[in-house]
Amino acid sequence: MSIWGLDQNDGKAGREIGGNSSRSVQMNMFSKELLIVSSHAHRNPIKPAIKTTQSCSRIDILGKNFGVENLTEKPSLTHWQKEGILFRMNYKLLLLTLIWQYVHSVATNVAYYLHVQRPPLTDLGFDLLPALSKNFQIISEIMFFICVFLTIGFLVSPFFYPRRNLYFVLMFTRFAGTLVLAQTLRIVCFLVTTLPGPNYHCRPDSPDYAPPKTLMDIFGRQDAFFGCGDLVFSSHTIFVVLCALVWHK
């Protein structure tokens, strides 16, 4: 008798049930499923018959679509091959994310075009915290890029240190999908509500104020750091929150 109470005579008992072939088949299938669960429990007695994680289940389904059974357990497939299969299943979303960055850039140029130079709005946070001078603004950008590059290093780490159920394509696909959604909400927000930019180059009489003036400027300019009128809500904030979610999730 196995640890799940299966007796070796179960198959014989099934054959003796009035010649009912369909019930016999069901009994045999049920026995096989229990034996599979029993084998999993034998390998991991602390957590018997646990369900695979979402990533593991998903990659197995993707593998079956390409004729590969049990992709996560397939010893003949390298980590790069598994990532390749996942990429083939998610490339449309990744391509959409790439295209959406251009759409987002055009929208920020439109916001800059609509922006009107006015004194910054009164804000309690700005009143309590001292503003960084022009010479020290680079500090915030350095901190931002440190966060981004550390996250990129974590995303690509499975290529060099493979770990079960941790795949670059899966993590980046979730990042990209959330990024597209957040940027869509951001575009709607800053196009329907134009606020005066608080940065130095957006203020009245600033010599660095240079909004787009032609359609060529709107559709051709790529500038993620010196725009105005697009801070509700901030793109930097989106990336910082997503980086934190990558590490946490």
Side-chain angles (χ1 to χ4, degrees):
M1 181 177 292
S2 69
I3 62 174
W4 293 95
L6 289 178
D7 196 285
Q8 296 178 353
N9 295 324
D10 285 349
K12 181 178 179 181
R15 291 191 296 270
E16 294 176 355
I17 301 177
N20 192 332
S21 58
S22 62
R23 187 172 182 182
S24 177
V25 171
Q26 292 177 359
M27 288 288 293
N28 290 334
M29 292 176 62
F30 181 65
S31 298
K32 290 180 180 179
E33 291 175 359
L34 287 181
L35 288 174
I36 292 174
V37 174
S38 176
S39 64
H40 283 292
H42 178 72
R43 291 195 300 266
N44 190 1
I46 299 178
K47 298 180 180 180
I50 60 173
K51 292 182 179 180
T52 56
T53 63
Q54 181 180 0
S55 300
C56 180
S57 301
R58 185 180 181 190
I59 195 172
D60 282 341
I61 294 174
L62 299 180
K64 291 178 182 178
N65 291 336
F66 285 93
V68 181
E69 296 292 336
N70 199 9
L71 187 60
T72 54
E73 301 292 343
K74 191 79 172 177
S76 59
L77 289 178
T78 65
H79 184 86
W80 288 82
Q81 290 172 317
K82 296 176 183 179
E83 294 278 9
I85 293 174
L86 289 171
F87 176 77
R88 291 170 63 183
M89 293 300 298
N90 293 281
Y91 77 93
K92 292 181 180 179
L93 176 58
L94 299 178
L95 181 60
L96 172 64
T97 304
L98 183 62
I99 296 174
W100 204 248
Q101 301 315 298
Y102 174 74
V103 175
H104 179 262
S105 176
V106 172
T108 57
N109 289 336
V110 173
Y112 199 176
Y113 175 81
L114 298 175
H115 178 262
V116 178
Q117 286 179 295
R118 288 173 292 176
L121 299 177
T122 302
D123 186 276
L124 180 61
F126 289 145
D127 293 338
L128 296 177
L129 299 176
L132 293 174
S133 65
K134 287 185 178 181
N135 296 331
F136 289 97
Q137 278 187 320
I138 190 66
I139 295 177
S140 64
E141 299 299 333
I142 292 175
M143 296 176 63
F144 171 76
F145 279 107
I146 289 176
C147 177
V148 170
F149 285 126
L150 286 176
T151 304
I152 292 175
F154 178 74
L155 287 173
V156 301
S157 63
F159 288 112
F160 307 99
Y161 302 98
R163 284 158 284 179
R164 179 176 172 82
N165 304 331
L166 194 61
Y167 299 92
F168 165 78
V169 175
L170 287 181
M171 290 189 292
F172 189 72
T173 299
R174 294 170 183 170
F175 182 96
T178 309
L179 177 63
V180 169
L181 178 60
Q183 287 181 331
T184 302
L185 296 175
R186 166 174 149 80
I187 290 172
V188 173
C189 288
F190 66 61
L191 287 183
V192 300
T193 304
T194 301
L195 298 176
N199 212 328
Y200 292 105
H201 65 273
C202 299
R203 298 180 183 182
D205 302 325
S206 172
D208 300 322
Y209 187 75
K213 298 179 180 179
T214 65
L215 287 178
M216 183 63 68
D217 290 338
I218 292 176
F219 288 97
R221 179 185 292 186
Q222 301 292 322
D223 189 353
F225 300 99
F226 293 99
C228 297
D230 62 342
L231 294 183
V232 180
F233 41 91
S234 170
S235 182
H236 283 56
T237 302
I238 293 176
F239 278 93
V240 170
V241 171
L242 287 180
C243 289
L245 290 175
V246 168
W247 286 90
H248 178 68
K249 296 295 182 179

PDB file of all heavy atoms in Angstrom, residues 32-50:
ATOM      1  N   LYS A  32      -3.601   6.546 -11.749  1.00  0.00           N
ATOM      2  CA  LYS A  32      -2.374   7.128 -12.285  1.00  0.00           C
ATOM      3  C   LYS A  32      -2.150   8.526 -11.725  1.00  0.00           C
ATOM      4  O   LYS A  32      -1.033   8.912 -11.392  1.00  0.00           O
ATOM      5  CB  LYS A  32      -2.439   7.178 -13.813  1.00  0.00           C
ATOM      6  CG  LYS A  32      -2.355   5.806 -14.472  1.00  0.00           C
ATOM      7  CD  LYS A  32      -2.429   5.933 -15.990  1.00  0.00           C
ATOM      8  CE  LYS A  32      -2.350   4.562 -16.645  1.00  0.00           C
ATOM      9  NZ  LYS A  32      -2.446   4.670 -18.128  1.00  0.00           N
ATOM     10  N   GLU A  33      -3.237   9.337 -11.658  1.00  0.00           N
ATOM     11  CA  GLU A  33      -3.093  10.690 -11.119  1.00  0.00           C
ATOM     12  C   GLU A  33      -2.634  10.655  -9.663  1.00  0.00           C
ATOM     13  O   GLU A  33      -1.771  11.439  -9.253  1.00  0.00           O
ATOM     14  CB  GLU A  33      -4.428  11.424 -11.228  1.00  0.00           C
ATOM     15  CG  GLU A  33      -4.835  11.742 -12.652  1.00  0.00           C
ATOM     16  CD  GLU A  33      -6.210  12.368 -12.722  1.00  0.00           C
ATOM     17  OE1 GLU A  33      -6.825  12.519 -11.656  1.00  0.00           O
ATOM     18  OE2 GLU A  33      -6.644  12.699 -13.835  1.00  0.00           O
ATOM     19  N   LEU A  34      -3.186   9.728  -8.890  1.00  0.00           N
ATOM     20  CA  LEU A  34      -2.775   9.637  -7.499  1.00  0.00           C
ATOM     21  C   LEU A  34      -1.338   9.171  -7.373  1.00  0.00           C
ATOM     22  O   LEU A  34      -0.599   9.603  -6.489  1.00  0.00           O
ATOM     23  CB  LEU A  34      -3.707   8.681  -6.746  1.00  0.00           C
ATOM     24  CG  LEU A  34      -5.124   9.208  -6.459  1.00  0.00           C
ATOM     25  CD1 LEU A  34      -5.910   8.158  -5.697  1.00  0.00           C
ATOM     26  CD2 LEU A  34      -5.083  10.493  -5.672  1.00  0.00           C
ATOM     27  N   LEU A  35      -0.930   8.286  -8.266  1.00  0.00           N
ATOM     28  CA  LEU A  35       0.457   7.826  -8.226  1.00  0.00           C
ATOM     29  C   LEU A  35       1.416   8.954  -8.564  1.00  0.00           C
ATOM     30  O   LEU A  35       2.504   9.057  -8.003  1.00  0.00           O
ATOM     31  CB  LEU A  35       0.648   6.655  -9.198  1.00  0.00           C
ATOM     32  CG  LEU A  35       0.001   5.331  -8.749  1.00  0.00           C
ATOM     33  CD1 LEU A  35       0.129   4.286  -9.855  1.00  0.00           C
ATOM     34  CD2 LEU A  35       0.634   4.820  -7.469  1.00  0.00           C
ATOM     35  N   ILE A  36       0.998   9.823  -9.494  1.00  0.00           N
ATOM     36  CA  ILE A  36       1.838  10.977  -9.834  1.00  0.00           C
ATOM     37  C   ILE A  36       1.960  11.899  -8.632  1.00  0.00           C
ATOM     38  O   ILE A  36       3.038  12.383  -8.288  1.00  0.00           O
ATOM     39  CB  ILE A  36       1.245  11.721 -11.044  1.00  0.00           C
ATOM     40  CG1 ILE A  36       1.346  10.848 -12.301  1.00  0.00           C
ATOM     41  CG2 ILE A  36       1.953  13.061 -11.258  1.00  0.00           C
ATOM     42  CD1 ILE A  36       0.644  11.462 -13.503  1.00  0.00           C
ATOM     43  N   VAL A  37       0.823  12.153  -7.983  1.00  0.00           N
ATOM     44  CA  VAL A  37       0.853  12.992  -6.776  1.00  0.00           C
ATOM     45  C   VAL A  37       1.710  12.351  -5.701  1.00  0.00           C
ATOM     46  O   VAL A  37       2.463  13.011  -4.990  1.00  0.00           O
ATOM     47  CB  VAL A  37      -0.585  13.210  -6.264  1.00  0.00           C
ATOM     48  CG1 VAL A  37      -0.565  13.951  -4.930  1.00  0.00           C
ATOM     49  CG2 VAL A  37      -1.392  13.989  -7.284  1.00  0.00           C
ATOM     50  N   SER A  38       1.618  11.010  -5.592  1.00  0.00           N
ATOM     51  CA  SER A  38       2.417  10.302  -4.606  1.00  0.00           C
ATOM     52  C   SER A  38       3.900  10.455  -4.881  1.00  0.00           C
ATOM     53  O   SER A  38       4.705  10.627  -3.969  1.00  0.00           O
ATOM     54  CB  SER A  38       2.025   8.816  -4.596  1.00  0.00           C
ATOM     55  OG  SER A  38       2.840   8.096  -3.713  1.00  0.00           O
ATOM     56  N   SER A  39       4.275  10.411  -6.153  1.00  0.00           N
ATOM     57  CA  SER A  39       5.695  10.565  -6.488  1.00  0.00           C
ATOM     58  C   SER A  39       6.180  11.956  -6.151  1.00  0.00           C
ATOM     59  O   SER A  39       7.290  12.146  -5.674  1.00  0.00           O
ATOM     60  CB  SER A  39       5.911  10.271  -7.979  1.00  0.00           C
ATOM     61  OG  SER A  39       5.222  11.219  -8.772  1.00  0.00           O
ATOM     62  N   HIS A  40       5.337  12.990  -6.388  1.00  0.00           N
ATOM     63  CA  HIS A  40       5.714  14.358  -6.008  1.00  0.00           C
ATOM     64  C   HIS A  40       5.863  14.468  -4.496  1.00  0.00           C
ATOM     65  O   HIS A  40       6.770  15.123  -3.996  1.00  0.00           O
ATOM     66  CB  HIS A  40       4.658  15.354  -6.497  1.00  0.00           C
ATOM     67  CG  HIS A  40       4.744  15.649  -7.957  1.00  0.00           C
ATOM     68  ND1 HIS A  40       5.793  16.342  -8.511  1.00  0.00           N
ATOM     69  CD2 HIS A  40       3.919  15.328  -8.985  1.00  0.00           C
ATOM     70  CE1 HIS A  40       5.616  16.461  -9.802  1.00  0.00           C
ATOM     71  NE2 HIS A  40       4.479  15.850 -10.124  1.00  0.00           N
ATOM     72  N   ALA A  41       4.971  13.838  -3.781  1.00  0.00           N
ATOM     73  CA  ALA A  41       5.049  13.894  -2.322  1.00  0.00           C
ATOM     74  C   ALA A  41       6.285  13.181  -1.803  1.00  0.00           C
ATOM     75  O   ALA A  41       6.872  13.573  -0.796  1.00  0.00           O
ATOM     76  CB  ALA A  41       3.796  13.258  -1.718  1.00  0.00           C
ATOM     77  N   HIS A  42       6.703  12.128  -2.516  1.00  0.00           N
ATOM     78  CA  HIS A  42       7.900  11.406  -2.091  1.00  0.00           C
ATOM     79  C   HIS A  42       9.146  12.259  -2.264  1.00  0.00           C
ATOM     80  O   HIS A  42      10.058  12.240  -1.445  1.00  0.00           O
ATOM     81  CB  HIS A  42       8.017  10.120  -2.906  1.00  0.00           C
ATOM     82  CG  HIS A  42       9.255   9.319  -2.568  1.00  0.00           C
ATOM     83  ND1 HIS A  42       9.380   8.635  -1.381  1.00  0.00           N
ATOM     84  CD2 HIS A  42      10.409   9.129  -3.261  1.00  0.00           C
ATOM     85  CE1 HIS A  42      10.577   8.020  -1.354  1.00  0.00           C
ATOM     86  NE2 HIS A  42      11.200   8.319  -2.481  1.00  0.00           N
ATOM     87  N   ARG A  43       9.155  13.061  -3.343  1.00  0.00           N
ATOM     88  CA  ARG A  43      10.315  13.925  -3.569  1.00  0.00           C
ATOM     89  C   ARG A  43      10.311  15.120  -2.632  1.00  0.00           C
ATOM     90  O   ARG A  43      11.352  15.655  -2.291  1.00  0.00           O
ATOM     91  CB  ARG A  43      10.322  14.416  -5.032  1.00  0.00           C
ATOM     92  CG  ARG A  43      10.617  13.319  -6.043  1.00  0.00           C
ATOM     93  CD  ARG A  43      10.976  13.932  -7.390  1.00  0.00           C
ATOM     94  NE  ARG A  43       9.892  14.751  -7.923  1.00  0.00           N
ATOM     95  CZ  ARG A  43       8.975  14.303  -8.752  1.00  0.00           C
ATOM     96  NH1 ARG A  43       8.989  13.023  -9.136  1.00  0.00           N
ATOM     97  NH2 ARG A  43       8.019  15.096  -9.206  1.00  0.00           N
ATOM     98  N   ASN A  44       9.124  15.576  -2.229  1.00  0.00           N
ATOM     99  CA  ASN A  44       9.017  16.743  -1.362  1.00  0.00           C
ATOM    100  C   ASN A  44       8.008  16.450  -0.260  1.00  0.00           C
ATOM    101  O   ASN A  44       6.852  16.879  -0.320  1.00  0.00           O
ATOM    102  CB  ASN A  44       8.566  17.959  -2.178  1.00  0.00           C
ATOM    103  CG  ASN A  44       8.685  19.240  -1.385  1.00  0.00           C
ATOM    104  OD1 ASN A  44       9.129  19.213  -0.234  1.00  0.00           O
ATOM    105  ND2 ASN A  44       8.285  20.355  -1.980  1.00  0.00           N
ATOM    106  N   PRO A  45       8.402  15.707   0.779  1.00  0.00           N
ATOM    107  CA  PRO A  45       7.445  15.302   1.803  1.00  0.00           C
ATOM    108  C   PRO A  45       6.904  16.449   2.633  1.00  0.00           C
ATOM    109  O   PRO A  45       5.879  16.330   3.272  1.00  0.00           O
ATOM    110  CB  PRO A  45       8.274  14.350   2.682  1.00  0.00           C
ATOM    111  CG  PRO A  45       9.687  14.788   2.479  1.00  0.00           C
ATOM    112  CD  PRO A  45       9.769  15.262   1.062  1.00  0.00           C
ATOM    113  N   ILE A  46       7.595  17.596   2.650  1.00  0.00           N
ATOM    114  CA  ILE A  46       7.136  18.716   3.473  1.00  0.00           C
ATOM    115  C   ILE A  46       5.912  19.364   2.845  1.00  0.00           C
ATOM    116  O   ILE A  46       4.975  19.740   3.531  1.00  0.00           O
ATOM    117  CB  ILE A  46       8.279  19.737   3.639  1.00  0.00           C
ATOM    118  CG1 ILE A  46       9.462  19.077   4.342  1.00  0.00           C
ATOM    119  CG2 ILE A  46       7.792  20.958   4.423  1.00  0.00           C
ATOM    120  CD1 ILE A  46      10.645  19.988   4.499  1.00  0.00           C
ATOM    121  N   LYS A  47       5.904  19.502   1.499  1.00  0.00           N
ATOM    122  CA  LYS A  47       4.790  20.132   0.802  1.00  0.00           C
ATOM    123  C   LYS A  47       4.286  19.181  -0.285  1.00  0.00           C
ATOM    124  O   LYS A  47       4.622  19.359  -1.463  1.00  0.00           O
ATOM    125  CB  LYS A  47       5.217  21.459   0.187  1.00  0.00           C
ATOM    126  CG  LYS A  47       5.668  22.492   1.204  1.00  0.00           C
ATOM    127  CD  LYS A  47       6.064  23.784   0.517  1.00  0.00           C
ATOM    128  CE  LYS A  47       6.507  24.823   1.527  1.00  0.00           C
ATOM    129  NZ  LYS A  47       6.905  26.082   0.872  1.00  0.00           N
ATOM    130  N   PRO A  48       3.531  18.144   0.052  1.00  0.00           N
ATOM    131  CA  PRO A  48       3.073  17.193  -0.950  1.00  0.00           C
ATOM    132  C   PRO A  48       2.040  17.787  -1.869  1.00  0.00           C
ATOM    133  O   PRO A  48       1.145  18.515  -1.453  1.00  0.00           O
ATOM    134  CB  PRO A  48       2.459  16.065  -0.104  1.00  0.00           C
ATOM    135  CG  PRO A  48       2.036  16.740   1.153  1.00  0.00           C
ATOM    136  CD  PRO A  48       3.034  17.823   1.397  1.00  0.00           C
ATOM    137  N   ALA A  49       2.197  17.441  -3.139  1.00  0.00           N
ATOM    138  CA  ALA A  49       1.183  17.766  -4.147  1.00  0.00           C
ATOM    139  C   ALA A  49       0.869  19.254  -4.202  1.00  0.00           C
ATOM    140  O   ALA A  49      -0.268  19.662  -4.351  1.00  0.00           O
ATOM    141  CB  ALA A  49      -0.104  17.002  -3.873  1.00  0.00           C
ATOM    142  N   ILE A  50       1.884  20.096  -4.050  1.00  0.00           N
ATOM    143  CA  ILE A  50       1.629  21.532  -4.153  1.00  0.00           C
ATOM    144  C   ILE A  50       1.441  21.898  -5.618  1.00  0.00           C
ATOM    145  O   ILE A  50       1.953  21.240  -6.510  1.00  0.00           O
ATOM    146  CB  ILE A  50       2.797  22.342  -3.559  1.00  0.00           C
ATOM    147  CG1 ILE A  50       4.100  22.025  -4.325  1.00  0.00           C
ATOM    148  CG2 ILE A  50       2.957  22.080  -2.085  1.00  0.00           C
ATOM    149  CD1 ILE A  50       5.238  22.899  -3.918  1.00  0.00           C
TER     150      ILE A  50
END
